[in-house]
C-alpha cells in the first residue's frame, strides 16, 4: 500500500537456502494506532468534547498582543458560537526581530479571556522549562509545527494530565507526525488532538499547502481526533472560509482560526486573520456544511444559541 506504515521483515528459512518467509512486524507507532483502540478517542476540554461525531470551532488571536485586542477576539469568538479560545503568549518566529509574545503577561490575559467568556483555552508552549507554568494557565497545551520533533518537549507534555494539541511539522510526513504523538502517549498522556496546518510544498501562492487528505488518513490510521488550521495553512484571509468548509466536509473533528479586531495592525500573522466581524459568518457557514454532511456541531446548546437556532 502506498505510504502505509506496515513493516515486513524477510527471514531466512533454516535448511531452505534462497527461500525466505515474510513476517509482518506492524506499524512503528502502537499506542496511537487505530488497531490499539478501534473506537475514536474523545477528549474533554472544559465542557466540550473533541473527537466525538461533532465538530468544534477554536478561535482567537494568533498572538496575545494587548488586553484590548485579545478580549475583543475572545468576545467575538464567543458571540459567534465558537467552543474553545486560542491565544499565544509565546511565539516561535522566523525572525528574531519579530514580536515574540508577551510571555507571562500574555498568560495572564489568556486567563482573563477564559474567565470572562467561560470558554476553555489552547495556547502554545515552546520549551520544556515553561510546561508547568503554561499548564497552570491553559486547558490545552499546543506543540507548534516547529517543535513537532522536539522530543524532550513531547516527553514533558506526555507527563501531564492535560490535553495536548500536536501540530504537524513544517514538512513532516504523516508517519513522523504519528510517531511524535507516540512520544506523548508513551509517557502516559493519550489526550492528544492532532492539528493539520499544511505542509511546505513548491507552491508559493499559499503559506503552506493544506494536506486535506491527512484527515481521512489519520482517521483510518489512528484513534486520535484531528482538527484543521485553515489560517496557518492558506496564510490568506480569503482562504480561511473555503478551507474551513473543506475541513468540515472531509470529516475533521474541528478547526482552529486566527481572529483579530484589526488584522492590518496585527503584530503577528495579520494577513491570515479574519476580523471580529467575520467570525460569526464563518461559524454560520460551517454549521451549514456540517448539516449538509450530517455532522452535528459540538455542544449545540452553547453553539447554536449564539446564531439563533
Ligand atoms: C500558530 O498556530 O500560531 C502557529 C505558530 O502555527 P504553526 O506552529 O502551525 O506554524
Ligand atoms: Mn500564527
Amino acid at each position: 500500500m502506498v505510504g502505509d506504515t506496515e513493516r515486513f521483515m524477510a527471514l531466512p528459512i533454516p535448511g531452505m537456502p534462497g527461500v525466505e518467509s515474510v513476517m509482518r512486524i506492524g506499524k512503528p507507532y502502537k499506542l496511537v494506532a487505530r488497531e490499539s483502540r478501534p473506537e475514536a478517542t474523545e477528549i474533554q476540554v472544559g465542557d466540550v468534547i473533541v473527537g466525538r461525531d461533532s465538530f468544534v470551532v477554536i478561535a482567537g488571536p494568533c498572538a496575545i498582543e494587548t488586553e484590548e485586542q485579545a478580549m475583543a477576539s475572545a468576545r467575538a469568538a464567543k458571540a459567534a458560537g465558537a467552543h474553545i479560545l486560542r491565544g499565544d503568549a509565546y511565539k516561535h518566529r522566523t525572525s528574531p526581530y519579530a514580536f515574540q509574545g508577551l510571555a507571562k503577561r500574555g498568560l495572564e490575559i489568556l486567563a482573563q479571556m477564559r474567565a470572562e467568556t467561560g470558554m476553555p483555552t489552547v495556547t502554545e508552549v515552546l520549551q520544556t522549562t515553561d510546561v508547568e507554568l503554561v499548564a497552570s494557565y491553559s486547558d490545552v497545551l499546543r506543540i507548534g509545527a516547529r517543535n513537532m520533533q522536539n522530543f524532550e518537549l513531547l516527553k514533558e507534555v506526555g507527563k501531564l494530565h492535560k490535553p495536548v494539541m500536536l501540530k504537524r511539522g513544517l514538512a513532516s510526513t504523516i508517519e513522523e507526525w504519528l510517531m511524535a504523538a507516540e512520544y506523548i502517549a508513551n509517557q502516559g498522556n493519550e489526550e492528544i488532538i492532532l492539528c493539520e496546518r499544511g505542509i511546505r510544498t513548491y507552491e508559493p501562492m499559499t503559506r503552506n499547502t493544506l494536506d486535506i487528505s491527512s484527515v481521512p488518513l489519520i482517521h483510518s490510521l489512528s484513534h486520535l481526533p484531528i482538527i484543521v488550521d485553515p489560517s496557518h495553512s492558506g496564510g490568506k484571509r480569503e482562504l480561511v472560509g473555503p478551507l474551513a468548509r473543506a475541513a468540515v466536509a472531509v470529516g475533521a473533528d474541528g478547526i482552529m482560526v486566527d481572529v483579530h479586531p484589526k488584522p492590518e495592525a496585527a503584530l503577528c500573522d495579520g494577513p491570515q486573520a479574519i476580523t471580529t466581524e467575520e467570525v460569526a459568518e464563518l461559524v454560520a457557514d460551517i454549521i451549514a456544511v456540517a448539516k449538509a454532511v450530517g455532522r452535528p456541531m459540538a455542544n449545540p446548546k452553547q453553539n447554536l444559541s449564539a446564531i439563533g437556532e
Side-chain angles (χ1 to χ4, degrees):
M1 230 192 281
V2 179
D4 197 7
T5 51
E6 299 287 321
R7 292 283 190 278
F8 297 91
M9 197 158 60
L11 296 173
I13 300 177
M16 297 181 73
V19 183
E20 292 177 326
S21 73
V22 174
M23 192 175 80
R24 180 178 152 194
I25 55 172
K27 292 181 163 59
Y29 44 89
K30 309 275 174 222
L31 299 169
V32 303
R34 178 64 85 168
E35 283 141 26
S36 77
R37 194 188 296 163
E39 69 283 6
T41 289
E42 294 178 356
I43 297 171
Q44 180 95 34
V45 179
D47 62 359
V48 181
I49 303 273
V50 181
R52 200 170 272 173
D53 281 337
S54 54
F55 193 85
V56 296
V57 176
I58 305 171
C62 175
I64 294 174
E65 301 167 12
T66 64
E67 193 181 316
E68 297 67 36
Q69 165 260 3
M71 291 312 299
S73 301
R75 287 181 196 124
K78 183 178 169 79
H83 306 90
I84 301 173
L85 292 176
R86 68 156 290 154
D88 288 349
Y90 299 91
K91 296 303 302 177
H92 251 173
R93 305 303 298 278
T94 302
S95 165
Y97 308 114
F99 177 63
Q100 307 281 315
L102 298 180
K104 178 116 191 302
R105 175 69 193 131
L107 293 175
E108 287 163 6
I109 296 173
L110 184 73
Q112 204 179 319
M113 292 160 68
R114 188 178 187 281
E116 193 190 299
T117 60
M119 294 164 75
T121 60
V122 53
T123 196
E124 180 156 356
V125 60
L126 293 186
Q127 51 184 349
T128 52
T129 47
D130 292 339
V131 167
E132 207 182 315
L133 177 73
V134 178
S136 72
Y137 278 92
S138 189
D139 301 279
V140 181
L141 270 67
R142 200 180 74 245
I143 305 289
R146 289 153 192 81
N147 261 332
M148 191 203 82
Q149 285 190 322
N150 180 339
F151 299 117
E152 291 311 310
L153 184 58
L154 298 175
K155 286 193 244 172
E156 208 54 36
V157 296
K159 293 179 196 146
L160 296 173
H161 301 286
K162 199 159 243 216
V164 173
M165 181 186 290
L166 178 64
K167 283 196 140 189
R168 184 175 181 177
L170 301 177
S172 297
T173 65
I174 289 170
E175 182 172 303
E176 286 162 346
W177 190 15
L178 287 171
M179 293 303 288
E182 187 78 10
Y183 262 91
I184 302 171
N186 180 256
Q187 295 294 315
N189 187 356
E190 294 193 21
E191 293 185 76
I192 306 163
I193 302 164
L194 298 169
C195 178
E196 169 62 60
R197 44 78 76 208
I199 44 175
R200 179 164 292 183
T201 68
Y202 53 79
E203 178 53 68
M205 290 259 186
T206 46
R207 182 174 181 179
N208 294 288
T209 298
L210 177 60
D211 179 11
I212 203 82
S213 44
S214 76
V215 175
L217 273 171
I218 288 287
H219 276 150
S220 72
L221 296 170
S222 174
H223 52 82
L224 296 176
I226 174 169
I227 66 156
V228 165
D229 181 340
S231 307
H232 290 80
S233 40
K236 290 183 161 90
R237 182 169 314 113
E238 62 273 24
L239 293 180
V240 172
L243 297 182
R245 295 195 293 273
V248 191
V250 82
D253 297 294
I255 52 156
M256 180 168 72
V257 287
D258 288 5
V259 179
H260 198 289
K262 286 199 196 86
E264 65 288 355
L267 298 180
C268 184
D269 290 348
Q272 69 192 31
I274 58 168
T275 65
T276 40
E277 283 89 47
E278 287 166 333
V279 62
E281 192 187 322
L282 179 83
V283 175
D285 284 353
I286 285 170
I287 291 173
V289 180
K291 264 193 192 146
V293 297
R295 295 288 302 289
M297 298 294 287
N299 200 3
K301 204 159 42 82
Q302 180 194 351
N303 191 53
L304 296 180
S305 60
I307 60 152
E309 290 213 28

